[in-house]
Amino acid sequence: MNDRDSYRLATRLVRAGQSRSQHKETSEALYLTSGFVYDSAEEADARFAGTAPGYLYGRYANPTVRVFEERLMALEGAGAEECLATGSGMAAVTAALLANLKAGDRVIAPRALFASCLWILDTLLPRFGVAVELVDGGDLDQWRDAAKRGVTLALIETPANPTLGAVDIKSVADIAHAAGGLVIVDNVFASPVLQKPFAHGADLVVYSATKHMDGQGRTLAGAILGAKDLIDKHIREFLRHTGPAISPFNAWLLAKSLETIELRVNQQCRNAVRIAEALAGHPRIERLLYPGRADHPDHAVHARQMSAGGTLIAFDVAGGRAGAWRFMNALQLIDISNNLGDSKSLVTHPETTTHRRLSDADRARIGITGGGVRLSVGLEDADDLIEDLLQALDA
Ligand SMILES: *Cc1c(COP(=O)(O)O)cnc(C)c1O
């Protein structure tokens, strides 16, 4: 009743998935339990056989986790027929990859990726006989050339960490599908509010719910969404038996957070637009990259795929690493952190933190410079944020 498809999104974000207990609570109930009991041995038999409905064990499913999953499906919209939550974003990425791969398979991905995703690809998968080819994500000729050697899976991240380059989801999906491959989109940076990868041909969408979904810096979580047969065929079993389950408490927090995600992300975008405007052309900023600005080199692709410019801005502070560090250390309101998507604005120096494992050549190739800074725009008043950024640039 509460998640009727005909309701509009804002309604479903507040209502979808709730099933009230016999106590008729207003808010969503928190079922903090690892197991479930049966009225009889016969009922246990029937539930395990799948002929009677009901929960079996917390590693498989939980009613509070289900509220989060159903609400996220409502947000993702068309194409998200099923959703399974995980204990972190990396658990979701790893499961989506491993559940669909075996020795001898081939993965193609851009080299500009979240650092742990890159580790899974360049270090973990090759140990199990999976070949991985990295390409420049924005160069479709490189995708086409790599696909000639075969593609089991293509993993896309767009906008990409940390320089916010675009990957054209539809074109890459066409290339991968023509070669018989599946397409997984890591949609964390855009969030499900701004970008709908299924509309552009994605087969699976993965999230770190740690970022915009929680949005208040409290918990780690992740999720995988896709067509029901695709999730049921490989991913459900993989998660059941390998065990990266989300805590019901964290799922409860996230179900409540999804009630406000549209309001939060849209306001963070409005703040980001104002900050990008205030910083572009500043004499101490050598380059500013914001997907919502016409001067972003990938603006056309971002504009096709995203409904707004997003909550992240990347820029190069004059003076290389020393200039960037001086600027970061002079900030009085904005915090230094490698996290993102929080209500608190956070600034990161990718060269020495998230991307320190890369060689100088690889960093240069994806556009990470010594002066490069990534700003995750929060929910503070934009004028306070702009004043803080300008005073730190003057330092
Ligand atoms: C944070 C992040 C992840 C990993 O998520 P965790 O919740 O930290 O495990 C994966 N991909 C992207 C793009 C991210 O930003």
Side-chain angles (χ1 to χ4, degrees), residues 92-93 95-98 100-101 108 153-157 169 182-187 197 201-206 224 235:
V93 173
L97 289 168
L98 290 184
N100 285 296
L101 289 171
I108 308 176
L153 285 182
L155 176 68
I156 296 176
E157 183 186 321
I169 302 171
L182 284 181
V183 176
I184 303 176
V185 175
D186 178 337
N187 202 31
D203 298 296
L204 292 169
V205 175
V206 291
I224 308 172
I235 291 171

Side-chain angles (χ1 to χ4, degrees), residues 50 107 285:
V107 177
I285 295 213

Side-chain angles (χ1 to χ4, degrees), residues 88-91 93 114 116-117 157 161 186 188-189 207-211 220-222 340:
S88 72
M90 283 320 303
V93 173
F114 187 76
S116 293
C117 299
E157 183 186 321
N161 191 34
D186 178 337
V188 172
F189 269 46
Y207 286 106
S208 165
T210 314
K211 313 294 169 51
L220 295 176
L340 64 101

Side-chain angles (χ1 to χ4, degrees), residues 5 23 145-146 167 169 173 188 214 233 244 276 354 361 370:
D5 284 347
H23 302 301
D145 182 58
V167 178
I169 302 171
V188 172
D214 177 353
K233 195 160 120 205
T354 53

